[in-house]
Each structure stands twice: as C-alpha cells, then as structure tokens.
Amino acid sequence: MRNLLLKPQISSCTLVKMTKSHYLCPKLFTMKESLFGKTLAELQELVAELGLPGYTAKQITDWLYKKDISSIDEMTNLSKKARELLNEKYEFGLTAPTKVQVSIDGTKKYLFPTIQHKYIETAMIPERDRKTVCVSSQVGCKMGCLFCFTAKQGFQGQLSAGEIVNQVKSIEEASEVSNIVYMGMGEPFDNLDEVLKSIEILTADWGFAMSPRRITVSTIGIIPGILTFLEKSEAHLAVSLHTPFNEERQKLMPVQVAYPIEDVVAEIKRWDFGRQRRVSFEYIVFENLNDTPLHAKELARLLDGLKCRINLIRFHPVPGTPLKSPNDETIQHFKELLNKKGILTTIRASRGQDIYAACGLLSTKELVKN
Ligand code: SF4
C-alpha cells in the first residue's frame, strides 16, 4: 500500500508543511469500502462476516481513531490472515487535502476532494487556548440562503460520516483539535444520519473520545432534524437566525417558508437543555437590514424565557449578492441594544478574511477549474 501514499499537493499560496504520511492521492481512489468512518457496531458485524474473532472490531477502532497509521497492513496486532481478509474488500480510508490556504491571522482553509471531482472546505481556526475545526457536512447545499456562496454551487452530494471525520483527522493540526463546529458547507440536518454517526465516532470511548460539549452543530432551523439531534446527541446546538421578521427572513433564507423561526424557537423552548448543553443563535449583521432597535425588540420577544446567546457575525461579502457588511461601530451598537434587552450577545471575531473566508468560495473556484 505504501506506494499509493502520496503527500498532498499543496497550492502555491500554501505555507503549510504537511508531515503526515497517511495521505492517499484523490486520483487513486479505489472502489474498496472505507474502514474509516465505521462505528464499533458496524465493525463487529464486518468482522463476524469475515469469520474473525469479535475482539478484532475493537482492535480496528483503536487503529482507526486512536493511532496514527494509514493502512490496514500497519494494524500489527491483527493476524496476517485478518489483514489479508480486510485488504481484499476494504481500504483504510483517509483522504488528504489537496490545497491549504493560510491566513495572516493563522486561520487555515483546507480543500478536500470528494468523489467525482467535487470539493469541500474545512477551516481550522486557532485561538489562544483552542483550535477549532469547522467541518462541512455536504458537498454544496440545497438551502439557497441569499448570503451564502456555497448556495450558489447548488447541491452536489452528501458526505459520509467518514468524510466528515476525515476533515478532523487529516489536517496537520489533527492531534491538537479542541473544538469542532459543523458550520462549513451544507446543512447538517439535511444529512442527519451521517452527521449523527460522525458525532458518535468523535465522542465514543472507542472513537476519538471527545466531549460532546466541545462540538457544536449549526442549522438553519430544520425542526425534525433539531428534535432528533437533541434526542440522540449531547452536542451543542446553534441556529442561524439572522432576522426575527418573517418576510425579511424568507428573503434571506427560503427555509423560513417550511420552518418559520417562531416555530423553531418554540420547539427549542420546549426542550430541557440541562446545565451544560448550550443553544446559541447565529446572527449575520447586514448593512441597513437587520440591526435596528425594532430588530432588537423583536429578538427579545422571540427569545424571551430561553437561556441562550446570540453571536453577531460580520458578513464576509460574496460575489453576486447585494448584501453588505456594516462597520464595526454599527455592530457594536447593535450588540449593546441586545444586551440592554437582556440577551447575552457576543461579536464573533472575524477570521481568515484574506483567504476566501466566506464558506464555499474556495471550493467553487476549484469546481469551476474542473
Ligand atoms: S448558509 Fe448553510 S444552509 Fe444556507 S445555503 Fe449556505 S451552507 Fe446551505
């Protein structure tokens, strides 16, 4: 297998020295099924089918999720026969990024290939005390939000749990990742099963054993997905709000027609979040659109009685939209308005603006090239 392992091709703008040796050239994707991305239960079934001892499944999860190898041949505590049987039908299943852009503020944007020459983006955001990875959950997106460049790609396909977790495992900072946010390309609850499976792999003792409190999944507000997610996972929830007014939100986010924000918040209010689980609302501030005292008043009414936080986000302008970003003073003023209404509000620091920070820009550029 070693001769198939290539280091990632890095673009000219890349300053990163990739040191891992587990990269598989995307051009050499095989038709074999990946082991990476399988749960312990799936591996137990798999080893039973191959006639291998039951404990082999746990040995395999250790190699997949706890160690730093890249081929089945390196699973040295498995018998030779077991490795041969696995190699016949399966591959290890890691995929390297093909491009990395590095911002002057240290933020990195990784471009990963998926099947059929499509691409997804993953951001790594370093802060003083943490390294957060922002993963994609779909290739493109079908939700059509006006302010989003990924929306302009349209929907290109779903990511498997393995492809989601690969975005954490196959970046240079893999061993230092402290937090994961599902805020990259795609709507996580439009790919709910694979997203939940990826969270299982990230949080299970046999997997990456991360605390679910270090994981946040962001949705535009798909109610059935929210309810299943709240029931089946313990990770934090973030909801993209952007305006409390129906007509305004419909123009920004077509999902408002199917799932009005009023209904989304009503469902969330019914849920007992316990002491440690968090719900927050993402609010991109657009110039002359959603930052008036009336918006603050309506937000206070909408969120009344819910323990939550609003994160104000600067808009990264994307080509082809009329939307603009307000200046810092306007955002600060809106934050104060919300704080006065009793809503805990923070302004999210703007990161990586010099490297196509708006989600979807980099992958669209690659898509157009192919
Ligand atoms: S903002 Fe999210 S849900 Fe909306 S189109 Fe973009 S990726 Fe999809």
Side-chain angles (χ1 to χ4, degrees):
M1 285 298 282
R2 272 287 175 195
N3 59 341
L4 293 182
L5 296 170
L6 300 179
K7 286 198 172 181
Q9 303 155 14
I10 306 295
S11 71
S12 54
C13 61
T14 300
L15 303 175
V16 185
K17 181 168 166 265
M18 306 300 290
T19 52
K20 285 181 178 279
S21 62
H22 65 249
Y23 294 104
L24 184 66
C25 175
K27 293 203 173 66
L28 298 175
F29 278 133
T30 67
M31 295 308 288
K32 287 182 182 176
E33 213 181 306
S34 286
L35 290 178
F36 192 82
K38 290 200 182 295
T39 62
L40 179 60
E42 287 172 332
L43 288 166
Q44 280 163 342
E45 260 182 52
L46 184 154
V47 299
E49 273 167 26
L50 293 177
L52 297 171
Y55 59 77
T56 315
K58 178 67 174 47
Q59 289 175 315
I60 296 173
T61 57
D62 282 352
W63 288 113
L64 292 173
Y65 306 125
K66 297 193 184 298
K67 296 179 182 170
D68 203 15
I69 63 159
S70 56
S71 72
I72 293 169
D73 290 337
E74 291 170 276
M75 299 181 178
T76 48
N77 60 353
L78 269 59
S79 67
K80 192 161 175 279
K81 178 81 186 152
R83 281 179 271 157
E84 278 170 7
L85 284 171
L86 287 169
N87 266 321
E88 275 171 26
K89 283 176 73 177
Y90 301 96
E91 62 178 11
F92 194 93
L94 290 172
T95 305
T98 51
K99 191 173 274 189
V100 188
Q101 292 186 321
V102 187
S103 164
I104 44 171
D105 68 15
T107 300
K108 287 184 188 172
K109 187 165 268 195
Y110 288 91
L111 191 74
F112 283 97
T114 67
I115 47 170
Q116 295 168 348
H117 300 291
K118 304 286 184 351
Y119 293 90
I120 52 163
E121 295 173 23
T122 306
M124 193 287 300
I125 304 142
E127 287 164 291
R128 206 157 29 113
D129 55 346
R130 62 171 70 181
K131 281 199 165 70
T132 301
V133 177
C134 175
V135 297
S136 293
S137 54
Q138 294 182 306
V139 193
C141 186
K142 60 178 90 146
M143 297 299 152
C145 302
L146 183 66
F147 48 84
C148 171
F149 207 76
T150 300
K152 297 190 187 308
Q153 271 187 26
F155 179 66
Q156 311 276 340
Q158 301 287 23
L159 291 180
S160 66
E163 287 175 301
I164 296 171
V165 181
N166 179 67
Q167 297 168 65
V168 179
K169 177 74 176 175
S170 290
I171 60 172
E172 200 182 35
E173 300 76 13
S175 61
E176 305 158 71
V177 172
S178 60
N179 296 69
I180 297 171
V181 293
Y182 287 65
M183 293 184 186
M185 298 170 71
E187 161 54 49
F189 295 162
D190 190 39
N191 188 17
L192 185 62
D193 290 347
E194 295 303 310
V195 164
L196 287 174
K197 192 169 144 188
S198 67
I199 295 173
E200 183 185 352
I201 294 167
L202 290 167
T203 56
D205 285 344
W206 50 259
F208 286 74
M210 278 186 82
S211 164
R213 310 301 183 206
R214 295 192 167 271
I215 297 174
T216 302
V217 179
S218 175
T219 176
I220 54 171
I222 296 178
I223 293 174
I226 291 176
L227 297 180
T228 308
F229 165 78
L230 289 175
E231 196 185 312
K232 295 199 170 171
S233 120
E234 290 176 50
H236 299 308
L237 176 70
V239 177
S240 301
L241 207 166
H242 307 327
T243 175
F245 295 115
N246 188 37
E247 272 186 32
E248 224 167 62
R249 197 164 184 270
Q250 272 186 31
K251 283 184 195 150
L252 290 172
M253 307 165 76
V255 73
Q256 172 75 6
V257 178
Y259 301 113
I261 192 66
E262 190 94 32
D263 296 356
V264 174
V265 173
E267 289 294 345
I268 292 172
K269 278 182 182 172
R270 270 195 272 276
W271 196 266
D272 177 13
F273 275 85
R275 276 189 304 139
Q276 290 190 325
R277 197 173 199 183
R278 246 188 357 241
V279 59
S280 58
F281 292 89
E282 309 292 303
Y283 199 98
I284 304 177
V285 189
F286 302 106
E287 188 179 69
N288 299 327
L289 190 92
N290 60 351
D291 55 1
T292 68
L294 216 57
H295 285 89
K297 190 174 168 209
E298 186 60 13
L299 283 169
R301 189 199 63 76
L302 180 71
L303 302 178
D304 185 38
L306 183 64
K307 191 167 164 270
C308 64
R309 164 197 300 256
I310 289 185
N311 291 315
L312 298 181
I313 303 167
R314 269 182 201 81
F315 178 52
H316 291 283
V318 297
T321 67
L323 301 163
K324 293 201 176 105
S325 180
N327 60 30
D328 287 356
E329 291 73 43
T330 307
I331 298 176
Q332 182 61 33
H333 179 66
F334 190 55
K335 173 183 179 243
E336 282 156 20
L337 279 179
L338 291 169
N339 282 341
K340 276 191 201 140
K341 297 274 179 202
I343 306 175
L344 178 62
T345 307
T346 52
I347 299 174
R348 170 118 21 101
S350 215
R351 303 295 302 267
Q353 258 179 312
D354 53 322
I355 54 160
Y356 293 103
C359 178
L361 275 174
L362 181 59
S363 58
T364 303
K365 210 170 145 233
E366 282 309 303
L367 206 60
V368 168
K369 279 201 310 205
N370 282 293

